[in-house]
Structures are given as C-alpha cells and as structure tokens.
Amino acid sequence: MQTNDLHFTVSENGVEDPNYHDSPAAPGTPGANQNWGRLSQSSHPFVIIFHLLFKSLALLMYLFGGWFSKSKNGGNHGANFIVVTVICIFLLSADFWTVKNVTGRLLVGLRWWNKVENDETRWIFESAKDRQINAFDKSVFWTVLYAAPVVWGVLAFFAILRLQFSWLIICATALALSGSNVYGYYKCSSEQKAKFEQYMQDGARAGTMAMFQNGATTVQNSVMGFVTRTAAGGGSQQQNQQPTSGTFT
Amino acid sequence: MNQTGGPQWANPEVTRPDAVVQEEEFFAPLSTLDEPVMETIMRDVHAVASKLKVVMLPMERNIPYGGYAGVSQSENVEITDRDKEIIQRLKDWDLWGPLVVCLGLAVLLSFKAPAGQASLVFAAVFCAVWIGSAVVTVNAQLLGGTISFFQSVCVLGYCVFPMTLAAVVVDLFKMIPLGAFSTLVELAVLVVAFLWSTRASSVFIGQYIAAPRRVLAVFPVLFFYTFLAWMILLF
C-alpha cells in the first residue's frame, strides 16, 4: 500500500487535513494490489486492518483453541482452557483499547472518553466537525463495530447450549467490551446527528454545506472508483495528496 | 503525569478566551493523532503502576482500629491523610489494573490447583473478583450510597493486589520445609494481606454510607476479600 498512510497528517491546529481524507483512494496499480481489493478504497487501510486484527484473532483463538481442540485426557479443561482464556482476554482488551482510542478517531472522527472531576465521572462523547469521512471507512467501522457483540452473543448462546459455562467467561468479557464500544460510539454518533441538525438550523454555514456536498461526492467517487476498478482491473496511479507540512512519522 | 491526572488535553486551561477554549476542548482529543502510540500506551501503564504503588502504601499505626474508620459507627468518619490519598488516587478510575491483578491471581491459583480443577479454580477466581466487586458495589448503592459504580469496582479491584502478592509469598513459603508451621505461616501472611486489602476499600465504601447502615455495606467488602484469602489458603 501507499506508505503515506503510515503517517498521521496534521495541520497546524491539530486537525487532520480534510484534503488528505477527501480522496477516495484511486484504484490500485493492476496486479500489485489485487489482493488488497476493496481495502484500497480506504483512507486508512492500516487502521482498518487494526480495527479487524485483534477481533478476528480473539475469535479464532476462541473457536480453534477452545471448541476444536481437546486436551489429551479427553476433557475440554485444564491448562488449555486457561491459556486460551487469558490470551483471548488480552486480545479482546487490546481490541477494546484500539477501537476506543485509535480507530474510531481516525476512521470516523468520533471519540468517547471520560474524565473524573471530584466525585463525578464525566462522560464525553465527541465528534469532529468539518471532517471528511471516507464512506468505505465509515461503513467498515460501523459494520464491524455492531457485528462484534452480535457474533459473541451467538457464541455465548452456543456455549450455554453446550453446557460449557466456563467458556462463557470469554463471551461475557467480549460482550462487555464490544458492547461498551458500541454504546460509546452510538452516543457519539447521535450527538453528531444532533449537532448536524443544529448546524442546519443555524442557517447553513458555508463550511457545513461544503462538508455535505463533499461528503456526497466522496460516496459517489468511491462507488465509481470501485466500479471502474472492478471493470477495468486497474486504473490511474495513486495521487500523492500528502501535504508537505505537519507530517509526523 | 500531571497532578490532576489524565493526559494534558483533558485539562484545558481556563484563562484563555472562551471561543479558543471551546475550540480546543473540541479538537483536543483529536490532537493526540500525532502522538506516538507508545506514548498513549505508556500513559495508561504509568497510571496503573502508580495506583498499584499507592495501594501498597504502608498503614499508619497511630490511629484507632488500625485504620478501620470505615466500620466505626460515628457520623464523622476520621479518614487518615494516607487513606485519603489512596482513595483520591483510585477515584481516577481505570479497569486495566483490576484486570491485570485479577488475571494474575487467577492464573497463580490455577497453577497450584490439582490437575483436574485448574480451570475451575481459574473461572471461580475470575468470576469472584468481577461479579463480587459488582455485587458489593450494587449493595452499597442500594443502601443509599451515592457511590460511582466504576470508581467502586476500580477501588475493590486494585485492593485485590495485596492478595495477589500474598499468593506469591505463600507460594514462596511452600518451598521452605516448615512442616506443621506452614499453615500457620500462610495464615499469618493472609491475615496481613487481608488487612492491607480491606483498609482502603472498606473506608472507601464506608464513607458513602450513613452511619447506621455502614456495617451492612462494609461487611460484604470484608466477605469479598475473605473469600479470596480462603481460595489462596486452599490451593
């Protein structure tokens, strides 16, 4: 992939340069990037990979380490269970941390966090305004975010059916962690909606309208880009849109 | 770490014009974009380490009940400065520390458990810590305490740390052939760990509850740590 995505591009005021995000990634070079497929539509392919990585590892660990492997004395218990559980919990925590602190911020410009003021825990749900969100990033982010608790819920149901209550520990941990991320980002997103309506009522600032129009163009372009690439199997080179200033490695 | 806790962007200065502050408050979390991931991780690691250290601060001897003001029936609970400091630090809650402490204890005990029971012990300890602290917290809330759920779970979880250390110490003592005294030594270690664990946690729970009902809220805390100590003694 283009190495640009390894850098976080930030302008002077600490906001990511919208121009950088605006680009629905141009179709990849033929042959070289075929395997990456739709990932080249993303503005942050590496972030998407990390959005999926720990989740899928935990799921694989749970399925193959737990369901399909039996310890030598026939039982499903013993050291095997503990190792699988500990690894799963670490992977799930890593996923929680990544989604909460990194991927939501980069993919959809949302973040939820809390700070403690005296005795009160204040929850803060934030959404970036005037930010271009890549439609592909957005759909992947939300689909995966909502899918995680559903999948773990189904697995918990099967664990109950199989009367393997100790495996419920992993499912419960996964449900709690992914569920809180869903809740947190849902709150962010509904705030975003409210904020958006507020903007529209305020008399449609020029910036907001520009954002809306650009957003529509982004969707159109990314769809068109996908169609073009699938049809032609390649296309123009990736444009280097990276601004020269404020690049952090 | 700064004194107020949390990262720099969590504490915007108030001296600047409102618009600037609002703008910064809005974009502040996003400005950690340029922060290396290592820095973000180390911030959390430092927060956990400092809280674990604070839980292990030695007790103050020159106060009645050995610091157990939480169980006293008087309306004005005297909290020592050190307890105050511990509670204040733990109020800036996180659940990473409790997770690590609880996994450590569960893995340690499952190692020592008989072959067939390892996973059962692991599951029991893991569930006991999380469900136990949740139940103790809800109990305190139902008794009329204005206690924050996450803060309470955090305090209870961090206070398991002396128990985890006791499990290690008990393990070390097992290497020394003490014969008949071994159980006594283990018991002594666990009593110390119990006092250490319940000191901050019982005071923390107790200060939120009105004096007549305080024992009802603090008793489950003591029971919670007694159960863990008993598990350590068993295996």
Side-chain angles (χ1 to χ4, degrees), chain A residues 12-61:
Chain A
E12 289 88 7
N13 56 358
V15 185
E16 278 198 89
D17 194 321
N19 294 325
Y20 183 54
H21 289 275
D22 199 10
S23 63
T29 46
N33 284 332
Q34 279 307 320
N35 289 338
W36 290 99
R38 299 185 60 171
L39 208 53
S40 57
Q41 285 174 41
S42 168
S43 305
H44 302 277
F46 285 95
V47 179
I48 287 206
I49 290 170
F50 273 102
H51 189 59
L52 292 160
L53 179 71
F54 295 118
K55 280 188 188 71
S56 24
L57 284 179
L59 202 62
L60 289 176
M61 194 69 211

Side-chain angles (χ1 to χ4, degrees), chain A residues 108-247:
Chain A
V108 289
L110 302 174
R111 196 183 196 194
W112 63 280
W113 48 290
N114 68 284
K115 63 180 173 187
V116 179
E117 287 173 346
N118 302 323
D119 276 7
E120 299 279 310
T121 303
R122 206 175 123 210
W123 294 94
I124 297 151
F125 303 100
E126 287 181 310
S127 61
K129 53 184 173 182
D130 303 337
R131 179 189 272 233
Q132 305 298 328
I133 305 298
N134 182 312
F136 177 75
D137 285 355
K138 193 178 165 186
S139 68
V140 168
F141 177 83
W142 285 104
T143 312
V144 173
L145 191 73
Y146 284 129
V150 173
V151 168
W152 283 108
V154 170
L155 288 175
F157 179 69
F158 279 119
I160 294 170
L161 283 189
R162 289 157 62 107
L163 298 176
Q164 293 181 334
F165 295 108
S166 42
W167 291 106
L168 271 179
I169 289 178
I170 302 176
C171 297
T173 311
L175 274 173
L177 292 178
S178 57
S180 34
N181 258 334
V182 166
Y183 179 72
Y185 280 116
Y186 176 76
K187 292 278 279 190
C188 291
S189 148
S190 39
E191 272 197 6
Q192 191 180 33
K193 276 173 212 149
K195 215 174 273 173
F196 187 73
E197 278 163 22
Q198 184 65 42
Y199 266 58
M200 296 303 274
Q201 283 168 5
D202 278 354
R205 279 197 208 172
T208 320
M209 290 310 291
M211 180 182 84
F212 183 70
Q213 281 158 3
N214 284 348
T217 327
T218 312
V219 178
Q220 202 178 25
N221 282 354
S222 64
V223 171
M224 287 311 287
F226 177 62
V227 170
T228 321
R229 198 182 60 253
T230 343
S236 61
Q237 290 287 325
Q238 168 74 37
Q239 291 167 3
N240 188 3
Q241 300 215 7
Q242 188 186 353
T244 45
S245 64
T247 301

Side-chain angles (χ1 to χ4, degrees), chain B residues 94-212:
Chain B
D94 70 77
L95 296 179
W96 299 113
L99 180 70
V100 170
V101 166
C102 151
L103 277 182
L105 184 63
V107 168
L108 253 172
L109 290 187
S110 66
F111 275 154
K112 296 193 275 180
Q117 293 176 18
S119 65
L120 200 65
V121 170
F122 178 88
V125 172
F126 189 86
C127 292
V129 171
W130 288 107
I131 299 175
S133 51
V135 166
V136 168
T137 305
V138 169
N139 174 59
Q141 283 178 333
L142 291 178
L143 282 168
T146 50
I147 198 165
S148 151
F149 183 81
F150 289 110
Q151 276 177 359
S152 171
V153 169
C154 168
V155 171
L156 290 168
Y158 268 102
C159 287
V160 172
F161 187 51
M163 286 288 168
T164 311
L165 287 185
V168 177
V169 171
V170 163
D171 226 18
L172 291 177
F173 271 119
K174 278 199 174 138
M175 290 175 187
I176 312 166
L178 286 167
F181 287 109
S182 70
T183 316
L184 275 179
V185 172
E186 284 172 25
L187 210 60
V189 170
L190 285 171
V191 166
V192 173
F194 177 80
L195 291 175
W196 227 269
S197 291
T198 49
R199 173 187 51 144
S201 51
S202 63
V203 172
F204 175 77
I205 301 277
Q207 68 175 353
Y208 285 101
I209 313 285

Side-chain angles (χ1 to χ4, degrees), chain A residues 8 15-16 77 81-82 85 89 93 97 105-106 111 113-116 119 121 126-129 169 195 248, chain B residues 9-10 25-27 29-30 32-34 40 44 91-93 96 99 110 118-119 122-123 126 151 208:
Chain A
F8 294 128
V15 185
E16 278 198 89
H77 286 275
F81 164 77
I82 296 165
T85 308
I89 289 174
S93 326
W97 190 90
R105 209 170 63 196
L106 294 181
R111 196 183 196 194
W113 48 290
N114 68 284
K115 63 180 173 187
V116 179
D119 276 7
T121 303
E126 287 181 310
S127 61
K129 53 184 173 182
I169 289 178
K195 215 174 273 173
F248 294 80
Chain B
W9 45 260
E25 204 165 348
F26 196 88
F27 284 116
L30 299 165
T32 49
L33 272 180
D34 54 322
T40 320
D44 285 353
K91 270 183 182 173
D92 190 9
W93 61 273
W96 299 113
L99 180 70
S110 66
S119 65
F122 178 88
F126 189 86
Q151 276 177 359
Y208 285 101

Side-chain angles (χ1 to χ4, degrees), chain B residues 34-72:
Chain B
D34 54 322
E35 172 185 87
V37 173
M38 205 56 201
E39 201 172 296
T40 320
I41 294 174
M42 287 319 284
R43 187 195 296 136
D44 285 353
V45 169
H46 280 310
V48 170
S50 77
K51 273 175 237 174
L52 287 179
K53 210 168 75 185
V54 112
V55 166
M56 291 309 292
L57 284 178
M59 289 194 231
E60 278 175 270
R61 295 200 189 87
N62 55 349
I63 40 157
Y65 314 114
Y68 276 88
V71 267
S72 99

